[in-house]
Amino acid sequence: MKLVSEAGVGTIAAGVAKAGAQVVLISGYDGGTGAAPRSSIHHAGLPWELGLAETHQTLIQNDLRSRVVIETDGKLMSGRDVAIACMLGAEEFGFATAPLVTMGCVMMRVCNLDTCPVGVATQNPELRKRFRGKPEYVVNFMRFIAQELREYMSKLGVRTVDELVGRTDLLEARRPAVNSRAATVDLSAILDNPYVDAPKHHFDPADVYDFRLEDTVDLKVLEKKLKSSLESGKTAKVSLEVSSTDRTLGTILGSDITRRFGQSLPDDTFTIKCTGGGGQSFGAFIPKGLTLELEGDSNDYFGKGLSGGRLIVYPPKKSTFSAKDNIIIGNVALYGATSGMAFIAGRAGERFCVRNSGAVAVVEGVGDHGCEYMTGGKAVILGPTGKNFAAGMSGGVAYVLDEHRDLYMRLNKALVSMELVTEKHDIEELRKMIEAHVAATGSDWGKEILDHFEDYLPLFKKIMPHDYDRMLRSIGQMEEKGMSREQAEIEAFYINTKGGKR
């Protein structure tokens, strides 16, 4: 769990340690990607020393220190930095800026512009030719870091890094201070650690958090019932009851499928028919070949990181309420999904399809911030949306049924355009997605729309980012000239971002 060095970070670290975090990373303000805004680089966070000391002491105070490894980063540049970090409580150390410099980075801070002059952070093949970095340079740098750390440890009379962890008694403030202002700084909260002699002041593998994975549905039920099919890759189907305590159902099974078959299995090779209430992260990260069908409802983070699998949710078949008017899955569904399909006969909560980059989803209404930061994929919303729809959306397409003709008031118009669905390929695509939704869920509302498709079609709005639309058109034009997809994408990028200049 990465935490920014700030006042109170120790309390947050204690919370995530109780929740099962195995590594707590305290990140200082002084590092950061060159693509970050200058205001963030200079005015966000505190030095890693402050957050690290607070985290180390708070975890000891709450008898949690032995359960987690503390790591720190934020422009560690020397063995001296590592030694100080270790004495303040860190056991692992992150390096980014310095290794990048050894690889040739000249700190131009244009990582997000694709104009890196030394070819480190760019997709431009011409600029990439300038890259002169070698792995040996980083290895050499890290050897120097380790050597300097050994020299400091030798002077302090410490033989191992574990012995150095938390030894603030070996630190003291510089005397005299470098200037009068520095002399006013009170370092007692950092240097006078009251827990320096605590018996559990660094990570102990014997105290590692027990996630009890062997008690999960995936390992107790699914993998046992599917054992022979997992070995052969033959089609299989399993039915089971689930409850909200069955979190991340299908994820471990999905990891085994990926390990054995990659993305080679056809859709619906393994189908898990669930009945009841799905817990948090139902179907998270499931791969191609795995289908989870849920008759009931599901909690937050449904389909998080969906990676090729299929998710189907619909109300109990004996239910008498209108599915399209009721929420059936929680907030932040399909967060960070990269591929796959989801069909949801009912409404979703807030932040539906946030950061979706490739999945296809059909749902019958969403809460606030739908399709936020979406970069790819497709979403069909067969119902109302909440406010701030499509905020930060830079890719992908959303088709929204605007029955009340008020979508324009709920739309975040900064990056996207809204238009009627009039092009033939859009109409066919929309119809096929709704047909697939009805076939998967039996949605009454989907059937109603298909039965009167010509009447509902004028109410659909197509939401697409301006730049994404322009890029797709340019790529199509380049492909018509005989270019490969990769060549067309590169050429379209320069046409649309560099005024046609390479």
Side-chain angles (χ1 to χ4, degrees), residues 291-306:
T291 297
L292 299 188
E293 181 180 336
L294 175 61
E295 182 179 346
D297 54 28
S298 185
N299 216 313
D300 296 345
Y301 286 97
F302 171 88
K304 174 176 65 178
L306 183 66

Side-chain angles (χ1 to χ4, degrees), residues 390-457:
M393 181 180 176
S394 60
V397 182
Y399 301 100
V400 182
L401 180 61
D402 188 17
E403 276 195 288
H404 304 292
R405 303 179 188 277
D406 59 354
L407 176 60
Y408 189 78
M409 302 299 294
R410 299 170 181 271
L411 186 68
N412 187 312
K413 297 174 277 292
L415 299 177
V416 300
S417 62
M418 184 178 81
E419 59 187 44
L420 294 173
V421 181
T422 55
E423 296 188 19
K424 184 177 180 180
H425 70 91
D426 284 326
I427 295 172
E428 287 304 310
E429 185 172 54
L430 175 60
R431 186 197 295 270
K432 287 179 181 179
M433 291 173 69
I434 300 175
E435 288 174 347
H437 174 66
V438 171
T441 66
S443 168
D444 292 333
W445 181 231
K447 293 176 184 176
E448 165 69 18
I449 294 172
L450 288 176
D451 290 343
H452 304 87
F453 189 72
E454 298 304 324
D455 296 328
Y456 282 103
L457 182 60

Side-chain angles (χ1 to χ4, degrees), residues 67-299:
R67 284 169 52 167
V68 298
V69 173
I70 295 182
E71 181 181 341
T72 194
D73 67 17
K75 208 165 260 189
L76 298 177
M77 305 291 281
S78 66
R80 180 178 182 274
D81 290 341
V82 174
I84 292 173
C86 194
M87 286 184 272
L88 290 177
E91 293 154 305
E92 294 185 353
F93 318 92
F95 298 84
T97 300
L100 274 175
V101 171
T102 68
M103 298 288 276
C105 173
V106 293
M107 304 288 285
M108 286 290 290
R109 295 199 178 278
V110 291
C111 309
N112 58 315
L113 301 180
D114 200 48
T115 58
C116 178
V118 291
V120 173
T122 177
Q123 297 300 314
N124 185 332
E126 295 302 318
L127 292 176
R128 290 172 72 172
K129 291 178 182 177
R130 303 180 184 180
F131 180 66
R132 294 292 181 267
K134 295 181 180 179
E136 292 81 4
Y137 298 163
V138 178
V139 172
N140 197 40
F141 168 76
M142 298 309 297
R143 288 187 186 278
F144 281 123
I145 292 289
Q147 179 61 33
E148 187 179 7
L149 175 61
R150 290 190 187 99
E151 292 171 0
Y152 276 104
M153 290 170 61
S154 177
K155 292 178 181 179
L156 294 169
V158 175
R159 295 179 62 85
T160 67
V161 171
D162 279 349
E163 293 177 36
L164 194 59
V165 174
R167 292 290 304 276
T168 53
D169 56 305
L170 299 177
L171 285 170
E172 61 181 37
R174 180 179 293 173
R175 296 286 187 272
V178 293
N179 54 50
S180 58
R181 187 174 183 184
T184 65
V185 177
D186 181 8
L187 296 175
S188 60
I190 296 177
L191 301 182
D192 300 336
N193 178 9
Y195 309 106
V196 68
D197 294 323
K200 293 185 176 182
H201 62 274
H202 58 72
F203 174 69
D204 183 353
D207 288 344
V208 68
Y209 186 87
D210 183 8
F211 287 94
R212 300 179 66 184
L213 295 180
E214 67 279 0
D215 293 334
T216 62
V217 170
D218 286 51
L219 292 184
K220 283 181 67 175
V221 180
L222 296 181
E223 297 219 345
K224 289 183 179 179
K225 290 187 175 182
L226 294 171
K227 184 176 180 180
S228 60
S229 297
L230 278 172
E231 293 174 354
S232 63
K234 292 182 179 179
T235 302
K237 185 171 184 177
V238 173
S239 298
L240 71 156
E241 297 279 339
V242 297
S243 75
S244 59
T245 58
D246 297 320
R247 292 181 285 271
T248 60
L249 191 145
T251 301
I252 296 177
L253 173 62
S255 70
D256 284 345
I257 292 172
T258 300
R259 191 178 299 113
R260 292 170 183 266
F261 305 105
Q263 295 287 322
S264 64
L265 294 179
D267 290 338
D268 304 326
T269 300
F270 303 107
T271 301
I272 314 300
K273 171 65 168 62
C274 304
T275 305
Q280 283 198 342
S281 299
F282 181 92
F285 306 106
I286 64 171
K288 183 176 174 60
L290 177 57
T291 297
L292 299 188
E293 181 180 336
L294 175 61
E295 182 179 346
D297 54 28
S298 185
N299 216 313

Side-chain angles (χ1 to χ4, degrees), residues 438-497:
V438 171
T441 66
S443 168
D444 292 333
W445 181 231
K447 293 176 184 176
E448 165 69 18
I449 294 172
L450 288 176
D451 290 343
H452 304 87
F453 189 72
E454 298 304 324
D455 296 328
Y456 282 103
L457 182 60
L459 299 176
F460 276 97
K461 302 298 192 306
K462 178 184 177 183
I463 311 300
M464 178 180 275
H466 305 294
D467 294 339
Y468 184 68
D469 186 26
R470 189 165 61 249
M471 282 291 292
L472 288 180
R473 295 179 187 278
S474 297
I475 291 171
Q477 292 172 359
M478 297 302 110
E479 287 181 317
E480 289 177 0
K481 294 180 180 179
M483 294 185 182
S484 68
R485 181 71 179 188
E486 183 179 359
Q487 291 174 323
E489 288 174 351
I490 294 173
E491 196 67 27
F493 173 81
Y494 281 97
I495 289 175
N496 287 281
T497 61

Side-chain angles (χ1 to χ4, degrees), residues 14-67:
V16 299
K18 290 177 182 178
Q22 295 169 309
V23 178
V24 174
L25 167 58
I26 304 300
S27 190
Y29 79 102
D30 201 26
T33 169
R38 194 170 297 275
S39 59
S40 297
I41 293 172
H42 293 298
H43 305 296
L46 296 174
W48 54 261
E49 292 91 339
L50 298 177
L52 175 59
E54 179 183 338
T55 296
H56 178 66
Q57 294 179 30
T58 302
L59 289 175
I60 293 177
Q61 185 180 12
N62 289 274
D63 197 26
L64 294 167
R65 181 62 184 86
S66 61
R67 284 169 52 167

